[in-house]
Amino acid sequence: MHDLSERRDLVAGKARLLMRLLLCNPNTTQALTDRLAASARRVLPPTMTLLPVTAREGFPYISSRAEAQIAGTAILSMLAERVGSFDAAVIGAFGDPGLSAARELFDLPVTGMSESAMLTALTLGQRFAFVTFSPRLSAWYEEQVTRVGLERRFAGTFTPDADFGSISDVAEELRHPLVHTCRRAATHADVLILAGAPIAGLAGDIADEVPAVLIDPVQTAVLQVLALHHLRPDGANAGSFARPPAKQSIGISEPLSSWIARKHLGKGGE
């Protein structure tokens, strides 16, 4: 009888370890979702099931503050539409659109690529830098550094002089210019974050060609959310992230509107 009880506890423990991870790409390009998912799967433990999803509305890729604001709403809608089908979520855009709002609204861990990459960089070196594929992204990306208060450890954003043709093929088209840019950035920082969904997976491919530690942000976001799932499976939910009171809305998607109105809690959102 004792052995049977122990076996039941073991089975229950294993069931708790199983995890469904929603990977939300707020860009509308499916090829970017595929690239993010492929990179994420390199570090995915066998207890985790990856559920990649691509935004239906928005932009092929996000490259400005205005586009990021719109993408943040898309992220919240993507989460609201799938509540109950996943245990944690990763936002698959480097500027982390909608990250704080998602933590405020949903009862599970949510991580973003830029925040998780920067926090990981602090454990691997004294100074970190971003390497990305377009100077147009720099201002938006660098605001993420200010948001987490890491300006003193940040060495700047580095971009190649070359341009690209297809957002789906940036990592292949700009591979050599990006390696050159990483080598240049390595003279200023000892940890380089390869920033942007279009270059997900590149860090592992070029690591032997660059004299610095390279970080793939989607991989850090996946590993961080896995840790949070074990440590605090209900996510952030106190202090400034306490759930807001129910509120009616006009013109936003029905799943998100219902969630903000807290209809899932019953009459009056209570």
Side-chain angles (χ1 to χ4, degrees), residues 130-208:
F130 298 154
V131 173
T132 192
F133 58 92
S134 170
R136 186 71 186 84
L137 298 163
S138 298
W140 173 39
Y141 283 1
E142 291 183 3
E143 286 182 359
Q144 309 315 308
V145 181
T146 303
R147 182 175 63 82
V148 294
L150 294 177
E151 298 94 329
R152 295 182 64 180
R153 302 281 291 273
F154 183 55
T157 302
F158 298 81
T159 59
D161 294 329
D163 202 358
F164 61 91
S166 168
I167 193 63
S168 301
D169 300 319
V170 168
E172 290 76 25
E173 291 183 23
L174 297 185
R175 186 187 193 283
H176 295 299
L178 283 167
V179 169
H180 177 75
T181 301
C182 285
R183 290 171 179 165
R184 178 163 54 93
T187 65
H188 301 272
D190 41 11
V191 181
L192 307 181
I193 298 171
L194 269 62
I199 55 175
L202 185 61
D205 294 341
I206 66 172
D208 293 339

Side-chain angles (χ1 to χ4, degrees), residues 1-231:
M1 190 68 166
H2 181 67
D3 291 342
L4 178 59
S5 176
E6 287 183 346
R7 284 199 296 273
R8 285 174 176 169
D9 289 343
L10 181 60
V11 170
K14 288 182 177 179
R16 285 194 295 272
L17 290 176
L18 296 176
M19 177 182 173
R20 301 162 299 174
L21 175 61
L22 190 68
L23 175 58
C24 298
N25 175 20
N27 305 284
T28 60
T29 304
Q30 180 63 38
L32 297 187
T33 305
D34 296 341
R35 183 177 292 276
L36 288 164
S39 182
R41 288 191 175 101
R42 293 182 181 182
V43 296
L44 214 65
T47 55
M48 186 184 290
T49 299
L50 191 67
L51 309 169
V53 60
T54 306
R56 294 190 299 269
E57 299 176 348
F59 308 92
Y61 74 102
I62 305 160
S63 59
S64 71
R65 299 178 185 90
E67 293 166 9
Q69 289 289 328
I70 295 168
T73 302
I75 286 289
L76 299 182
S77 293
M78 294 161 79
L79 295 173
E81 289 171 8
R82 295 165 178 83
V83 165
S85 66
F86 63 97
D87 305 300
V90 165
I91 296 175
F94 188 73
D96 296 348
L99 177 59
S100 293
R103 287 175 174 164
E104 183 180 68
L105 285 180
F106 296 95
D107 303 316
L108 42 78
V110 184
T111 58
M113 289 168 59
S114 63
E115 182 184 82
S116 64
M118 287 186 282
L119 295 178
T120 300
L122 299 183
T123 69
L124 296 172
Q126 286 300 310
R127 288 173 64 78
F128 68 91
F130 298 154
V131 173
T132 192
F133 58 92
S134 170
R136 186 71 186 84
L137 298 163
S138 298
W140 173 39
Y141 283 1
E142 291 183 3
E143 286 182 359
Q144 309 315 308
V145 181
T146 303
R147 182 175 63 82
V148 294
L150 294 177
E151 298 94 329
R152 295 182 64 180
R153 302 281 291 273
F154 183 55
T157 302
F158 298 81
T159 59
D161 294 329
D163 202 358
F164 61 91
S166 168
I167 193 63
S168 301
D169 300 319
V170 168
E172 290 76 25
E173 291 183 23
L174 297 185
R175 186 187 193 283
H176 295 299
L178 283 167
V179 169
H180 177 75
T181 301
C182 285
R183 290 171 179 165
R184 178 163 54 93
T187 65
H188 301 272
D190 41 11
V191 181
L192 307 181
I193 298 171
L194 269 62
I199 55 175
L202 185 61
D205 294 341
I206 66 172
D208 293 339
E209 303 175 52
V210 179
V213 176
L214 300 186
I215 287 179
D216 185 309
V218 71
Q219 294 180 356
T220 61
V222 166
L223 294 173
Q224 187 181 90
V225 86
L226 175 62
L228 290 173
H229 175 66
H230 290 301
L231 294 171

